Amino acid sequence: MAGITDLPFRSMVLRFGAGLVVSEMVASEDMVNARPSTRARAELAAGDARTSVQIAGREARWMAEAARMLEGNGARVIDINMGCPAKKVTNGASGSALMRDPDHALSLIEATVNAVSVPVTLKMRLGWDHDCLNAPEIARRAEEAGVRMIVIHGRTRQQFYKGRADWAAVRHVVENVTVPVVTNGDIVTPASAREALRLSGAAGVMIGRGAQGRPWLLAEIAAALTGRPAPARPRGEAFADLILEHYERQLAFYDTDLGVRTARKHLTWYLEDYPDAAALRARLVRESDPNRVRAMIRSEVPDLGAAGMKEAA
Ligand SMILES: Cc1cc2nc3c(=O)[nH]c(=O)nc-3n(C[C@H](O)[C@H](O)[C@H](O)COP(=O)(O)O)c2cc1C
């Protein structure tokens, strides 16, 4: 997720355990033409076997070149973004706009698959709108082109993030291909993961927003689905330690000034399930001195009351 699944956040999620995590979307042309420093950031930890690097674009040559560069830097899986609904992306005819032009989409997919030897996967939505639910058709053609796994966010582009993800509609994709299909959208608990799998018939689930402020969620859901004991959710001192670790990683990765700002949304998410943390949250996101942020977390988080969040079902 752009702006969220950076290296610090992915590290926190992987600490608890996850089958696969995905980088922020990288614009393929920027990737190829970017300054070395920009490139280094996009590629960090690409060599991790559980990290997939996602690229977006609208020209086959940039997609192929970006994929080649990433593979050269150790990427183990390359994912193609055909799901992003943002106007600045779709107006550039990439992201979910590609679903309106399947022939062109296929030319990008083929170019990417042919450029690398690591597996290439595809992320898309159900279609552009309800009159154009063409994910099953694109998935079949993508499979023929060599795509090894397909993730479907169960909404159309025109829905953006509104309404409910339609897990049952993902089944049409599952039935049209032999490669694994992963269902995505609104999965936030083991119960919703089970229901999404039941309705879609998919081979797996992908979690997005549910993991914000809950880096343990992927491990918790995986444990529930496979009948293993769930990892303990950090509470009290352990919860403060976790937040502080993430905070330090943000500051080290982005440098202090930027890190203080990029950390704020994560601090908010960590505390949003705690009814008695509203005042602390407000103070944390206004504070620019990292030492005062650290002190507040250290002194106030361990004493927060029980989380009022949706408990694992
Ligand atoms: C802020 C934000 C940024 C996102 N960025 C990306 C992205 O870069 N690539 C992508 O494939 N999906 C992106 N998504 C979509 C999510 O991966 C996911 O498909 C969607 O949020 C539905 O799943 P969820 O309900 O589990 O979040 C983004 C979503 C949000 C809210």
Side-chain angles (χ1 to χ4, degrees), residues 1-262:
M1 290 190 288
I4 300 165
T5 59
D6 52 17
L7 182 66
F9 182 64
R10 297 198 310 270
S11 308
M12 299 308 291
V13 170
L14 286 173
R15 241 187 57 159
F16 288 94
L20 189 70
V21 295
V22 188
S23 76
E24 299 175 85
M25 160 176 95
V26 179
S28 54
E29 190 172 342
D30 290 353
M31 174 79 201
V32 177
N33 296 322
R35 288 171 303 157
S37 59
T38 313
R39 213 176 270 161
R41 177 151 296 163
E43 291 164 15
L44 271 169
D48 186 293
R50 293 172 297 166
T51 300
S52 160
V53 182
Q54 186 181 71
I55 55 174
R58 63 192 167 117
E59 282 188 55
R61 64 182 174 133
W62 297 127
M63 295 292 279
E65 191 55 33
R68 250 192 302 271
M69 281 179 69
L70 289 164
E71 181 182 42
N73 285 299
R76 307 288 190 90
V77 183
I78 306 280
D79 186 48
I80 299 176
N81 180 313
M82 274 177 34
C84 181
K87 286 212 172 65
K88 70 170 188 224
V89 173
T90 55
N91 288 346
S94 54
S96 58
L98 288 166
M99 298 196 73
R100 284 203 291 193
D101 190 351
D103 289 343
H104 183 52
L106 258 293
S107 72
L108 301 189
I109 293 168
E110 280 163 8
T112 309
V113 170
N114 292 335
V116 294
S117 52
V118 292
V120 174
T121 62
L122 175 64
K123 166 95 184 300
M124 61 181 162
R125 290 184 173 231
L126 295 173
W128 177 261
D129 60 23
H130 274 97
D131 296 324
C132 176
L133 297 173
N134 58 358
E137 174 62 13
I138 295 176
R140 189 186 54 73
R141 294 179 63 184
E143 174 175 53
E144 279 168 16
V147 158
R148 304 272 290 277
M149 182 178 88
I150 296 167
V151 182
I152 305 287
H153 175 190
R155 288 186 175 85
T156 66
R157 186 275 179 183
Q158 293 302 56
Q159 285 180 286
F160 285 84
Y161 294 93
K162 295 194 202 83
R164 300 274 313 158
D166 185 350
W167 300 319
V170 175
R171 187 174 281 278
H172 300 301
V173 179
V174 173
E175 287 170 352
N176 227 26
V177 295
T178 57
V179 291
V181 174
V182 172
T183 187
N184 163 248
D186 302 342
I187 298 167
V188 291
T189 56
S192 50
R194 273 192 206 96
E195 186 63 359
L197 288 173
R198 188 182 71 78
L199 289 171
S200 65
V205 295
M206 180 173 273
I207 317 287
R209 293 164 296 175
Q212 294 170 174
R214 298 176 204 121
W216 56 82
L217 187 68
L218 277 73
E220 186 175 291
I221 288 180
L225 293 177
T226 54
R228 283 178 285 120
R233 284 185 183 197
R235 304 191 195 272
E237 294 286 344
F239 190 41
D241 288 345
L242 177 85
I243 298 174
L244 282 167
E245 182 187 334
H246 193 167
Y247 193 69
E248 299 308 337
R249 284 180 186 268
Q250 288 276 326
L251 268 51
F253 186 68
Y254 291 108
D255 294 335
T256 304
D257 285 353
L258 181 56
V260 164
R261 297 199 297 277
T262 60

